[in-house]
Amino acid sequence: MNQEHKELPIGIFDSGVGGLTVYRALHDRLPNERFIYLGDTARVPYGTKSLATVERYALENSQFLTSRGIKMLVVACNTASALALPKIREAIGIDVVGVIGPGGRRAVEVAGSKGRIAVAATEATVLSNAYADAIRRASPDAELIQAECPLFVPLAEEGWTSEPETFSIAEKYLAGIRAFGPDALVLGCTHYPILRDVIQQTVGANVKLIDSGEATAVEVAELLEAKNLASATEPSGKRRLCDDLDHFFVTDAAERFGRIAERFLGSTPSKLEAVEVFGYDKLSKQ
Ligand code: DGL
């Protein structure tokens, strides 16, 4: 692999701000790498949309990032990973990593091959059964339960991480999971790590929470090494989240994105731009 290619950034996209939890995990594990993040804030949420729509959005996002010059693409959005990975892989000629496979494999590692595993995710992710398939591929004997938790997304964005309303919604969504008595619970949506404490208290301290973003960062690091794609350039100073080595794009409401980034990460992107990605999926066909 030539040196110039190795020094390209890694692309990350999400339906909006939630993927910043995956960005943080990647940034922490890979200090030599630079990232380009796209949040499709104009069209969020993906979790309630159809397969055809999520595929189209995901292709436009992927082609936009590819056009900026990236060496690898991380699909941080669980819903887009669940529904659109095959189409993305077909369309772009670089390695694509989703969050479902790594999250599912990590859950089996933690719970054991005959473990009891719960998945909390958006409606579209649950209906796709993508986590169930990934977990069964890693262990056919795992026992499974899934729950849709759609209101967790706006609660995380509002920063309602310890309000009584959040606890009562969590109680309603997660009662079935608690009764199932899982060994591990996959946080199968980008926003759920923000509500980690509420979720942990609701399901009980003995349930191990799996952050798919962190599991993905581990697999991205391994893939970079295996493919000889890791950047060899050490940053001159200490890397900070959202510093000017990383570039953030949104499809709408950049100012709101900056505010939520501050809440999620404790810092606002130095480089943040609004872009239009509509029609990028057609570029490769011209
Ligand atoms: N990023 C989405 C996910 O991880 C959550 C928000 C949405 O529904 O778009 O599934």
Side-chain angles (χ1 to χ4, degrees), residues 8 80 103 242 247:
L8 289 176
C242 298
H247 203 150

Side-chain angles (χ1 to χ4, degrees), residues 258-279:
R259 259 187 287 123
I260 299 183
E262 175 74 48
R263 194 178 297 147
F264 280 16
L265 304 176
S267 45
T268 313
S270 314
K271 284 189 187 159
L272 173 60
E273 273 178 65
V275 285
E276 176 61 81
V277 298
F278 179 73

